[in-house]
Amino acid sequence: MTDTMNAVVYTALNTFEVTRVPIPTPGPGEFLVRVEAAGLCHTDLDILAGAYAADFPRIPGHEFAGTIVDADHDYRGHIGARVAIDPLIACHHCRNCTRGYPNLCTRGEAYGAERDGGFSEYAVVNAQNAHRIGSLCMPVAALAEPFACAVNALERARLAPGLRAAIIGAGPMGMILSIALRGWDVHDVTFADRIPERLERARTFGATATAVVEGSVTEVLPAREFDLVIDATGRPAVVQDAVSLLADGGTLIPFGVCPPGSQLTLDPFEIYRRQLRIIGSFSLSRGIPEAVRILQRSGFPLAELITTRFALTDGAAALAAIGGADTVKIQFDPTIDSAPQ
């Protein structure tokens, strides 16, 4: 093994390069992980554009899995373990941490933002951030982070089995949320999206009904019929319309990331009288182990969620592919044409 590796490096706002960098060395309580799958998401574009806080230069990538290849003396027994990475690093001492919200840590950091992440052949991570994946293949294991974000949302919603759900937006997170709902015994899931091809894929992953949206979602989905409505688009107008879809006692999760400063118009009396709930959910909160269990138990063809895999040397093409109508999850495979000799 050489002492350098390929990596995608954000050198400044809106500027990145694929280059050779030194292979990091694990310190006390850390692992060196050979990255074998690393997912891309829109947050990676937001970091590059300055819409999500990060330090530069930085190796991005917060959805990754791989094999532990080195560790400090006290952790060498873990070498060879196959793991998925929790990207959030909490202080465990601030008020939010002690109240059970490490994802809201006031001094928190994350791999791929404040610390180097997984768009590289190797990454150093804290030992407590690495979770064993059993026999899961690496591409599916790298889905643990977005699945853990879904787990955080659904745990906060306190779901009851058998409710009727609607997901607006059949992109990557819409698919993941639908699959994760099965862990709460929710099987009646309606999807709405503007792209018919995405709805066809949603049926593969358990959608019981689908609706093509041309104008407002309220034109194609019935009012006051859904116990749970999840917005996976991040569009304020869609979130606004989603309120009218809620049945009495229903819960709305605005899961998609709306632009800061967005506003909704709500009738407080309706929320009171119909006992509606609007649940916020940010990132993941110690949910990687549960996400791994969901992935291990799922009967859906999870590998089909990964529609394209790129070598690190194809970094520009990979970033440009995020959000494409014909894609679900895009991943880097750092072992393709980029393994150090």
Side-chain angles (χ1 to χ4, degrees):
M1 185 172 75
T2 68
D3 58 359
T4 63
M5 63 180 183
N6 280 335
V8 176
V9 180
Y10 289 176
T11 54
L13 289 179
N14 300 309
T15 305
F16 71 93
E17 61 184 11
V18 180
T19 186
R20 300 290 294 183
V21 300
I23 295 175
T25 301
E30 292 182 332
F31 295 143
L32 178 67
V33 174
R34 182 179 67 241
V35 180
E36 297 172 58
L40 292 85
C41 84
H42 204 277
T43 298
D44 298 307
L45 296 181
D46 290 340
I47 290 172
L48 186 61
Y52 189 100
D55 301 325
F56 295 101
R58 179 64 58 223
I59 297 173
H62 56 277
E63 306 176 7
F64 60 106
T67 301
I68 298 169
V69 295
D70 196 8
D72 81 344
H73 182 269
D74 292 337
Y75 288 87
R76 295 194 66 80
H78 295 275
I79 291 175
R82 306 170 71 252
V83 294
I85 306 305
D86 183 336
L88 297 188
I89 307 163
C91 76
H92 305 296
H93 300 294
C94 71
R95 185 169 185 268
N96 286 346
C97 282
T98 58
R99 291 169 59 228
Y101 302 117
N103 56 322
L104 304 180
C105 176
T106 58
R107 296 189 291 272
E109 296 181 318
Y111 296 113
E114 291 81 12
R115 299 195 193 184
D116 285 339
F119 291 177
S120 55
E121 294 181 70
Y122 296 88
V124 162
V125 301
N126 292 335
Q128 66 261 30
N129 288 71
H131 299 270
R132 295 190 181 233
I133 59 173
S135 61
L136 285 176
C137 69
M138 288 296 179
V140 171
L143 297 172
E145 193 277 342
F147 266 86
C149 293
V151 166
N152 185 34
L154 299 180
E155 284 183 341
R156 287 183 51 76
R158 302 195 303 271
L159 304 178
L163 58 74
R164 187 179 186 191
I167 298 175
I168 308 171
M173 286 312 305
M175 297 292 140
I176 287 169
L177 286 157
S178 176
I179 296 167
L181 277 170
R182 272 53 180 190
W184 279 262
D185 201 20
V186 175
H187 300 274
D188 187 344
V189 181
T190 296
F191 266 96
D193 198 285
R194 296 183 180 276
I195 302 174
E197 292 80 6
R198 285 186 170 181
L199 295 174
E200 291 178 14
R201 185 179 290 121
R203 286 188 281 272
T204 300
F205 290 94
T208 50
T210 59
V212 178
V213 180
E214 295 181 353
S216 168
V217 69
T218 59
E219 297 172 358
V220 294
L221 294 182
R224 299 194 177 195
E225 287 290 331
F226 298 97
D227 307 297
L228 173 69
V229 178
I230 305 176
D231 170 67
T233 71
R235 297 178 180 177
V238 176
V239 178
Q240 179 76 65
D241 290 341
V243 177
S244 67
L245 304 180
L246 290 172
D248 291 348
T251 297
L252 170 64
I253 305 178
F255 189 92
V257 183
C258 291
S262 304
Q263 296 184 1
L264 302 177
T265 300
L266 299 173
D267 181 350
F269 181 82
E270 182 181 16
I271 296 173
Y272 150 74
R273 180 63 182 84
R274 297 180 55 219
Q275 203 164 296
L276 305 179
R277 293 192 303 154
I278 300 176
I279 302 297
S281 173
F282 172 71
S283 189
L284 68 160
S285 184
R286 299 175 295 197
I288 294 288
E290 179 59 25
V292 169
R293 285 190 286 270
I294 291 172
L295 293 169
Q296 290 172 330
R297 295 191 302 254
S298 177
F300 290 109
L302 298 175
E304 294 182 12
L305 290 172
I306 302 132
T307 47
T308 316
R309 304 191 80 208
F310 289 92
L312 289 170
T313 50
D314 295 323
L319 290 168
I322 295 174
D326 58 344
T327 64
V328 184
K329 286 300 296 182
I330 301 165
Q331 290 184 349
F332 282 118
D333 180 349
T335 70
I336 299 175
D337 296 329
S338 59
Q341 302 301 312

